[in-house]
């Protein structure tokens, strides 16, 4: 069933749900991230409602609803054409080895606040409060920490991370996203438990890393991950103290694949490391060395560690390969420059190269590429080929290595204007077969 777009905001939808629950005698509040974001002056991504109504009752009160996390007491309610998660106040227990709770119990607002991870995530808001000053319900000191820009675990930090090691990565995510300082005890507890992050499923780790690396604050996130020693368990490799200039210098809307590549270069091809290749004074010897020797194995490791999709790992692979080509730009013939520019990861690769701008020679290379690219783009970097495989077959050629070579060479000749029509292309093939 299609519905007309509604004029109500996501907040309106959540507030309406709170109202209905209230009218039926229940406690109900806006909860968690949306309260935090609003207090920070940011627009919340979504609004969650927390209530003492039991899940079955929530289902009855809202006909347009369904269970999404029945075991956790979460119901998705459709209101004003928007979906709002309505969760019953709960406590969680029996964490098995620092992973997800195996048991939940329904409870009151205070206990629900206290089972949450960080004080800034443990706030409730009563949107129907007559006195706006009394609208925020704070059982955990979240408001003071928001003011002080502090990320602090609720309760005993040690115990809270031992319950769920993923919270360590979430700490890096929230602190980097808001530019908050991590409270001292909280930070100490993370460093203490960091090596146990590997007990968490690779999928959940991957989700957190992706959220961090696709945010404009990815540089701060990578630094926190390094400084908290979460890099080793997150990436299943040794801890590295390398500078993180590349990932920190990426354009803010860089793709996940570009961010992963930049981070990889920072970690595995740091500028200080004199590499074997640096004996001959080429541009970026440390990066060339990495691309030639370790990149493939590192990507295989990261793919598993972060549960990268085929698409993401393919993109990173392509960026790494294209970077090797781009480093040779001054020596590339026109056809090869055009082929590079037509790649689906050209923009990603250039973004990574630009982000290495503090390394010797990069600024000059980028400048040359930018200059050379203008006329090439104007000519067209990926024209329709004059000659295709079908044409060659019609001309009596058989598919194979020679056939393939002819196609490549004919297209290169076209890209360089040695062939300017189909007739010339046919003649070219006849004289080269
Ligand atoms: P975002 O804007 O990134 O979605 P959020 O605060 O809404 O931030 P979610 O991951 O959507 O974060 O979780 C919603 C709320 O549930 C959090 O604010 C927090 O109170 C609680 N929460 C989520 N994950 C955990 C966890 N692993 N341990 C404890 N509480 C958690
Ligand atoms: Mg959320």
């Amino acid at each position: 069933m299609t519905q007309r777009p509604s004029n109500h905001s996501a907040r309106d939808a959540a507030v309406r749900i709170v109202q209905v629950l209230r009218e039926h005698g229940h406690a109900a509040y806006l909860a968690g991230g949306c309260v935090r974001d609003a207090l920070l002056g940011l627009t919340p991504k979504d609004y969650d409602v927390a209530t003492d109504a039991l899940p079955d009752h929530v289902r009855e009160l809202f006909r347009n609803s369904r269970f999404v996390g029945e075991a956790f007491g979460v119901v998705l309610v459709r209101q004003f054409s928007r979906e709002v998660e309505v969760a019953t106040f709960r406590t969680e227990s029996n964490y098995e080895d620092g992973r997800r709770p195996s048991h939940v119990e329904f409870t009151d607002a205070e206990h629900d606040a206290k089972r949450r991870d960080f004080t800034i995530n443990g706030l409730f808001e009563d949107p129907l409060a007559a006195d706006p000053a009394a609208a925020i319900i704070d059982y955990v000191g979240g408001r003071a920490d928001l003011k002080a820009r502090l990320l602090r675990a609720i309760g005993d930090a040690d115990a809270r991370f031992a319950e769920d090691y993923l919270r360590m990565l979430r700490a890096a995510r929230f602190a980097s996203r808001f530019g908050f300082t991590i409270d001292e005890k909280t930070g100490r507890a993370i460093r203490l438990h960091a090596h146990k992050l590997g007990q968490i499923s690779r999928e959940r780790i991957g989700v957190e890393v992706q959220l961090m690396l696709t945010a404009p604050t990815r540089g701060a996130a990578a630094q926190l991950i390094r400084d908290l020693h979460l890099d080793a368990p997150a990436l299943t490799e040794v801890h590295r103290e390398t500078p993180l200039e590349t990932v920190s210098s990426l354009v803010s809307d860089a793709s996940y694949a570009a961010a992963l590549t930049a981070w990889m270069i920072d970690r595995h091809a740091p500028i200080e490391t004199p590499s074997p290749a640096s004996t001959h004074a080429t541009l970026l010897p440390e990066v060339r060395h990495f691309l030639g020797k370790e990149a493939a194995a590192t990507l295989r490791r990261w793919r598993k560690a972060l549960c990268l999709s085929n698409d993401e790992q393919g993109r990173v692979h392509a960026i790494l390969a294209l970077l090797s080509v781009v480093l040779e730009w001054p020596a590339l013939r026109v056809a090869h420059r055009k082929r590079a520019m037509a790649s689906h990861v050209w923009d990603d690769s250039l973004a990574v190269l630009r982000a290495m701008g503090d390394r010797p020679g990069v600024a000059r290379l980028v400048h040359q590429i930018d200059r050379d690219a203008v006329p090439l783009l104007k000519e067209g970097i990926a024209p329709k080929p004059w000659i295709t495989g079908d044409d060659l077959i019609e001309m009596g050629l058989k598919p194979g290595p020679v056939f393939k070579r002819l196609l490549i060479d004919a297209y290169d000749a076209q890209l360089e204007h040695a062939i300017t029509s189909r007739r010339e292309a046919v003649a070219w093939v006849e004289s080269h077969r």
Side-chain angles (χ1 to χ4, degrees), residues 32-34 36-37 45-48 85 170 173-174 177:
C34 64
R36 173 201 67 213
D37 289 350
K45 222 170 36 194
D46 41 38
Y47 288 81
D48 296 327
E85 275 192 15
R170 287 174 59 87
R173 171 152 75 88
F174 290 113
R177 172 158 146 208

Side-chain angles (χ1 to χ4, degrees), residues 9-25:
S9 68
R11 189 174 192 280
D12 293 340
V15 172
R16 176 73 195 135
I17 291 166
V18 167
Q19 213 166 22
V20 171
L21 287 161
R22 268 324 155 70
E23 282 162 9
H24 287 80

